[in-house]
Amino acid sequence: MKSNNMLLKLLSLMIVSSVLIASCGTAAPATTAPADATDAPEATTAPATEASTGKMYDGVTIDILTFVGPQVAEPLQRRGPDFTELTGATVNIITVPNSELYQKVLTDAVSGTNAYDGYLFAPSWVVDFAPAGLIEDLTPYVEADAALEWDDVAPFFRDFNSYDGKVYSIPLDGDMHMVYYRIDSLEEAGLEPPKTWDDYLAVAKALNGKDLNGDGEGDYGSCISKAPGQQAYWWIWSIAAPYIQSQGTSQGPFFNTTDMTPLVNNDAFKRALEVYKETGLYGPPDETNQGVGDSRGLFLQGRCALTMDWGDIGPLAIDPANSKVIDKTGAISNPGSTEVLDWATGKLVACDATTCPYAVDGVNHAPFASFGGWAGAVNAAVDQKQKDAAYAFFSYMAQPAQSNADVVVGSTGYNPFRISQFENLQPWIDAGFSQVAAEQYLNGIKESFDSPNMAADLRIPKNHEYIQVELDRILAEYIAGNLTTDEAAQQLYDSWETITEDAGRDEQLTFYKGTLGQK
């Protein structure tokens, strides 16, 4: 990173139009969105600035809403003053609990309160906000924004942040669930990293109660977040996906694409429920009340043989101040299954060339792009200057100069989403990774993204109700022992059917098939 003096020198030397100066001296478009791409100004056009300082957003304040940190919010808060120094805009970051974020954004936009100029939220929510005109179409901004290097953003994330062919949010983060394991503990026990979820349970059972960190106390075979009201609903879907989806990403794991009936009241999803619940037998006694931060902390303390998480653990595991598992952490694409759902009968059938065309060594994998990464959207109802500044801030955060520094630090909560971040190992090595650790970590994520059977997260209207309300509620009841497996599957099926009927079955089916690339 260049010093502030160097930044200011670059800023004074460069001619800027609708662009920002990023911290590495690269330009990023910002001021106003052109009517179409052909109207986009050249980056060498001199601006007509109003402020005496020459900073194009002097006097502009933008309020950005996201969830309570420190992860995710912290980089925004840390880089806000730098953005102010470069542009003049004041950045306020407002946070709410993750469970309240969707409703807070919706209420602000629908009520016309418009207290926030931008939102850092789940890109899967775009389909609730874009069709209603509540968030800004950012396509013209992106097309004029050379410094964003949009082509370097991995295709999945470009698509996941778009709706109807238009860009509505800017990714700052890439999310893919993967399994982390203790290399040393498995080797000492003569065990291989799990290829299937049955393998996962076997490894967890074998290592549960062993002293994994040398403190003389028994540790845990598996640590997986299960607390309600947090993020457990993504973990269950990472387990369920390979049982349900076997014919490629366009098949989808959530609904039948002929009639929009939920794919949850069947032997495949029930088996996933059983696996998810059994992992708790090999975890900490209070796992039902633990969030992802708790399970991460236990893994980093050397107390877990296995865990499933987003990409955060990779960088966290190399931190000498907080990790006892440096160079002991392996990372793999999520386990799969040797049996998959027969959609016609609801039964599990063995993998073969027909039922599992993408199987590897007889195992069907469907790595789950859970959540899809945090992304910035702009409120369509605020003044143009606020829109421009909010977009400029999200662009600044997502540009390589800032992003490359943030994704290699586990505490930011930001994971790689740019093609170059998987190809260039040097920033990872500079951050403290060994070359072997960097290659394994990045290959684990890349293998998932490259899978022809990758499962994308649900991205249809009311997905918040389907997943973060009903699935979360029923999962909590099931884990608590208040529902049998059959009862949980039936309740989820019934509740999802009610949501679909209320929203309009044909409309929801059209949305769902569209997100899968089906006609």
Side-chain angles (χ1 to χ4, degrees):
M1 284 293 174
K2 294 182 172 68
S3 67
N4 285 339
N5 287 339
M6 180 61 73
L7 284 171
L8 293 174
K9 182 177 179 181
L10 287 169
L11 189 58
S12 66
L13 292 174
M14 295 186 68
I15 301 176
V16 190
S17 64
S18 59
V19 295
L20 295 174
I21 304 303
S23 64
C24 64
T26 55
T31 52
T32 58
D36 56 56
T38 60
D39 295 332
E42 295 292 328
T44 54
T45 304
T49 56
E50 297 177 4
S52 58
T53 63
K55 295 179 180 179
M56 62 178 60
Y57 296 122
D58 266 354
V60 177
T61 296
I62 52 172
D63 296 314
I64 307 295
L65 178 69
T66 190
F67 96 114
V68 174
Q71 299 87 4
V72 179
E74 182 276 330
L76 303 176
Q77 294 162 336
R78 170 168 43 87
R79 294 196 181 280
D82 294 337
F83 183 77
T84 302
E85 180 66 22
L86 294 168
T87 70
T90 299
V91 182
N92 295 324
I93 305 300
I94 300 94
T95 62
V96 295
N98 184 59
S99 59
E100 299 175 14
L101 181 58
Y102 174 89
Q103 193 58 50
K104 193 79 171 180
V105 174
L106 185 65
T107 300
D108 181 65
V110 171
S111 69
T113 304
N114 298 318
Y116 311 106
D117 304 297
Y119 316 105
L120 193 71
F121 65 9
S124 58
W125 299 345
V126 162
V127 293
D128 279 331
F129 293 89
L134 301 176
I135 54 177
E136 188 80 354
D137 174 9
L138 301 179
T139 310
Y141 294 84
V142 170
E143 290 176 343
D145 192 346
L148 181 59
E149 297 189 26
W150 188 244
D151 288 344
D152 184 44
V153 175
F156 169 75
F157 294 113
R158 294 202 302 263
D159 177 69
F160 205 72
N161 285 273
S162 301
Y163 165 75
D164 197 25
K166 300 175 182 178
V167 180
Y168 282 92
S169 54
I170 304 301
L172 277 61
D173 166 42
D175 278 340
M176 173 68 69
H177 264 174
M178 55 202 297
V179 160
Y180 298 89
Y181 65 94
R182 283 285 298 279
I183 297 172
D184 55 336
S185 299
L186 268 66
E187 287 180 348
E188 290 169 7
L191 299 169
E192 295 291 327
K195 294 181 179 179
T196 69
W197 283 109
D198 287 338
D199 292 343
Y200 184 100
L201 294 175
V203 172
K205 183 177 182 180
L207 294 178
N208 190 49
K210 306 291 185 184
D211 180 6
L212 303 178
N213 62 359
D215 65 358
E217 297 183 7
D219 295 308
Y220 312 115
S222 169
C223 297
I224 290 180
S225 168
K226 291 186 173 69
Q230 295 199 33
Q231 298 162 323
Y233 34 80
W234 282 305
W235 272 253
I236 181 60
W237 223 269
S238 279
I239 299 172
Y243 289 102
I244 298 173
Q245 177 183 294
S246 62
Q247 301 298 308
T249 299
S250 62
Q251 185 184 31
F254 296 100
F255 296 93
N256 192 309
T257 50
T258 61
D259 57 11
M260 200 58 187
T261 52
L263 295 172
V264 296
N265 195 12
N266 54 56
D267 287 356
F269 191 77
K270 290 177 185 179
R271 177 58 187 151
L273 286 171
E274 291 167 352
V275 170
Y276 180 68
K277 192 169 188 176
E278 186 177 339
T279 63
L281 298 178
Y282 316 123
D286 61 341
E287 190 170 68
T288 55
N289 296 316
Q290 289 191 348
V292 63
D294 300 307
S295 56
R296 283 177 189 167
L298 287 170
F299 188 88
L300 295 174
Q301 293 163 22
R303 304 211 61 196
C304 309
L306 299 168
T307 191
M308 179 168 57
D309 202 337
W310 289 289
D312 306 63
I313 282 183
L316 288 169
I318 65 163
D319 180 1
N322 299 298
S323 174
K324 295 182 180 180
V325 291
I326 297 173
D327 290 330
K328 298 177 181 179
T329 300
I332 54 172
S333 182
N334 273 352
S337 173
T338 57
E339 295 183 307
V340 294
L341 178 66
D342 181 328
W343 286 28
T345 66
K347 303 297 183 182
L348 285 169
V349 297
C351 269
D352 59 30
T354 301
T355 59
C356 301
Y358 302 107
V360 177
D361 297 330
V363 177
N364 181 63
H365 294 271
F368 182 46
S370 56
F371 186 74
W374 292 92
V378 175
N379 188 340
V382 298
D383 291 343
Q384 190 64 50
K385 203 71 172 177
Q386 266 68 33
K387 291 180 185 179
D388 297 341
Y391 169 81
F393 180 60
F394 289 136
S395 172
Y396 172 77
M397 292 295 302
Q399 288 166 29
Q402 288 66 248
S403 177
N404 290 351
D406 287 341
V407 298
V408 301
V409 179
S411 60
T412 63
Y414 292 173
N415 302 152
F417 62 93
R418 291 183 170 276
I419 298 169
S420 60
Q421 289 165 351
F422 292 95
E423 295 177 342
N424 182 8
L425 292 184
Q426 197 57 50
W428 303 94
I429 293 171
D430 291 344
F433 278 81
S434 67
Q435 180 157 338
V436 171
E439 288 175 348
Q440 187 181 49
Y441 169 69
L442 293 171
N443 286 342
I445 303 175
K446 192 172 186 298
E447 180 182 333
S448 299
F449 284 131
D450 289 345
S451 170
N453 197 43
M454 184 191 76
D457 207 347
L458 185 63
R459 190 171 41 141
I460 61 174
K462 296 185 177 293
N463 72 82
H464 177 265
E465 292 181 39
Y466 287 113
I467 303 297
Q468 293 180 245
V469 177
E470 290 303 307
L471 176 58
D472 187 64
R473 175 183 66 81
I474 292 166
L475 263 185
E477 289 290 304
Y478 175 67
I479 294 300
N482 299 328
L483 297 173
T484 66
T485 302
D486 287 344
E487 289 170 341
Q490 184 66 57
Q491 279 200 22
L492 185 59
Y493 180 94
D494 292 342
S495 67
W496 278 20
E497 279 283 86
T498 298
I499 296 170
T500 297
E501 285 295 325
D502 289 346
R505 185 173 300 274
D506 291 343
E507 292 83 355
Q508 291 293 82
L509 181 58
T510 298
F511 268 109
Y512 184 57
K513 291 173 67 174
T515 65
L516 298 173
Q518 297 187 22
K519 299 296 184 181

